[in-house]
Amino acid sequence: MDHAAVAHRTDLMTITRHVLNEQSKHPESRGDFTILLSHIVLGCKFVCSAVNKAGLAKLIGLAGETNVQGEEQKKLDVLSNEVFIKALISSGRTCILVSEEDEEASFVEPTNRGRYCVVFDPLDGSSNIDCAVAVGTIFGIYMVKDKDKPTLDDVLQPGKNLLAAGYCLYGSSCMLVLSTGNGVNGFTLDPALGEFLLTHLDIKIPKKGKIYSVNEGNAINWDESTAKCKFPKDGSSPKSLRYVGSMVADVHRTLLYGGIFMYPADKKSPNGKLRVLYEVFPMSYLMEKAGGQAFTGKQRALDLVPENIHDRSSIFLGSYDDIEEIKALYAAAEEKKP
Ligand SMILES: O=P(O)(O)OC[C@H]1O[C@](O)(COP(=O)(O)O)[C@@H](O)[C@@H]1O
Ligand SMILES: [Mg+2]
Ligand SMILES: [Mg+2]
């Protein structure tokens, strides 16, 4: 690593400095948000190092427990969950925590409580952990109405009320992609410095893409509209299929290259597979902030109002024009219905 070259770069923007710059635009801000984000960043660094050495540290394989989704938990699911819960509570800025791995929402002790609710998927793409394929962490942040009287309604809010959302990709490089409302930025972890540096400023998804990402293995259970999604309306050649099976990796590629990521509802899973609060909402928020769209097959994903913390939803997200075509497909199918 040519540190001298790095040191001379004027844009040596760390994620902390970026968030502080954002904070300075809000004179009323007390820095709570910045402190919360710095603890999420710490959690991501910890999980990144654990993922990188999973095979060495005997972090491969099952933990021997089953989570509320009925999924067998991987050791890294459990470790990542513990790391984020500890980091979020020790920030002293959180009030309610919702994790994919915990059946119930956690209400932080009043003595150590803050104003933010964090919904998160500590380790996304669990099926890929043991084969060292890219995985990630997904999070969304809401504000509690009254931190002295927090209720589940503070998290069962539509996604459009999110204050911020992001994900951390543990892939060939470790990247944290974040939006606090103004645009989407990407930060790459410099392993030597241990710092996330700004490498992708103001990410904008291409208006149209050549790639679609879906588990084609479910195609047999799809309805007619879903089966048509990969075929561009203009009759040009079908999009190319790319599917990692980790939502973070598939959405990250979609955000940078354009196209569609989808996990549609089907005969087998009438509500789709992905969870509204800590998968669908954060990714939909980022997609919209980057100029794309997120659609459930019926409505704008961020307008959904979840009834339970582990609700699932069908989801199509990606390039603006591609999602417009999918919305037209579903609208046409709706019109044809008797
Ligand atoms: O194996 P399938 O049915 O294609 O599902 C893959 C999807 O499930 C997930 O792995 C679910 O997330 P978790 O790994 O966090 O449970 C997504 O990352 C991914 O998009
Ligand atoms: Mg997940
Ligand atoms: Mg998970």
Side-chain angles (χ1 to χ4, degrees), residues 16-31:
T16 312
R17 213 177 117 203
H18 168 81
V19 175
L20 283 169
N21 287 354
E22 287 295 305
Q23 180 192 308
S24 64
K25 295 176 190 159
H26 306 275
E28 78 290 354
S29 153
R30 302 177 310 189

Side-chain angles (χ1 to χ4, degrees), residues 67 69 71 77 100-101 121-128 138 214-215 218 243 245-248 250 261 263 273-275 278-279:
N67 67 14
Q69 334 274 344
E71 296 160 346
D77 283 324
E100 175 201 2
E101 300 305 331
D121 177 353
L123 210 285
D124 175 67
S126 308
S127 62
N128 282 322
I138 310 172
V214 66
N215 183 339
N218 296 331
Y243 191 67
S246 297
M247 185 186 195
V248 170
D250 287 314
F261 168 80
Y263 207 110
K273 174 178 183 176
L274 300 173
R275 283 55 60 115
Y278 41 81
E279 290 172 325

Side-chain angles (χ1 to χ4, degrees), residues 139-293:
F139 61 91
I141 301 172
Y142 288 106
M143 178 76 90
V144 73
K145 278 191 228 37
D146 177 352
K147 82 179 177 77
D148 300 321
K149 296 193 210 83
T151 70
L152 267 187
D153 290 344
D154 288 307
V155 285
L156 296 177
Q157 298 190 48
K160 61 186 171 210
N161 295 352
L162 281 169
L163 293 178
Y167 60 77
C168 193
L169 171 69
Y170 312 115
S172 52
S173 62
C174 176
M175 274 197 70
L176 205 158
V177 172
L178 175 71
S179 179
T180 56
N182 308 317
V184 178
N185 296 288
F187 303 82
T188 303
L189 182 64
D190 177 326
L193 299 179
E195 275 287 359
F196 280 102
L197 299 178
L198 180 62
T199 49
H200 295 65
L201 179 65
D202 200 18
I203 299 171
K204 288 286 177 242
I205 183 170
K207 252 177 138 289
K208 204 170 174 42
K210 294 188 171 59
I211 292 172
Y212 77 109
S213 185
V214 66
N215 183 339
E216 275 277 356
N218 296 331
I220 191 157
N221 296 315
W222 290 347
D223 62 23
E224 207 190 318
S225 309
T226 306
K228 289 182 185 157
C229 288
K230 62 186 170 197
F231 300 104
K233 207 171 64 192
D234 61 10
S236 58
S237 55
K239 296 181 184 298
S240 300
L241 174 63
R242 295 283 181 278
Y243 191 67
V244 174
S246 297
M247 185 186 195
V248 170
D250 287 314
V251 169
H252 185 66
R253 184 195 53 249
T254 305
L255 195 61
L256 297 185
Y257 293 178
I260 308 163
F261 168 80
M262 54 194 217
Y263 207 110
D266 61 31
K267 292 190 201 92
K268 208 177 76 201
S269 324
N271 295 318
K273 174 178 183 176
L274 300 173
R275 283 55 60 115
V276 172
L277 267 185
Y278 41 81
E279 290 172 325
V280 169
F281 277 169
M283 294 308 204
S284 300
Y285 180 91
L286 290 165
M287 208 43 84
E288 285 201 5
K289 296 294 180 191
Q293 292 197 71

Side-chain angles (χ1 to χ4, degrees), residues 31-83:
D32 290 344
F33 194 70
T34 306
I35 292 169
L36 171 62
L37 274 170
S38 67
H39 283 72
I40 291 174
V41 167
L42 177 65
C44 293
K45 288 179 184 174
F46 192 106
V47 173
C48 179
S49 91
V51 166
N52 288 346
K53 59 177 187 252
L56 304 165
K58 298 201 174 16
L59 287 168
I60 294 276
L62 297 172
E65 305 283 328
T66 301
N67 67 14
V68 62
Q69 334 274 344
E71 296 160 346
E72 288 190 289
Q73 290 179 308
K74 296 288 178 83
K75 288 179 184 166
L76 271 168
D77 283 324
V78 175
L79 176 75
S80 310
N81 194 39
E82 283 167 10
V83 165

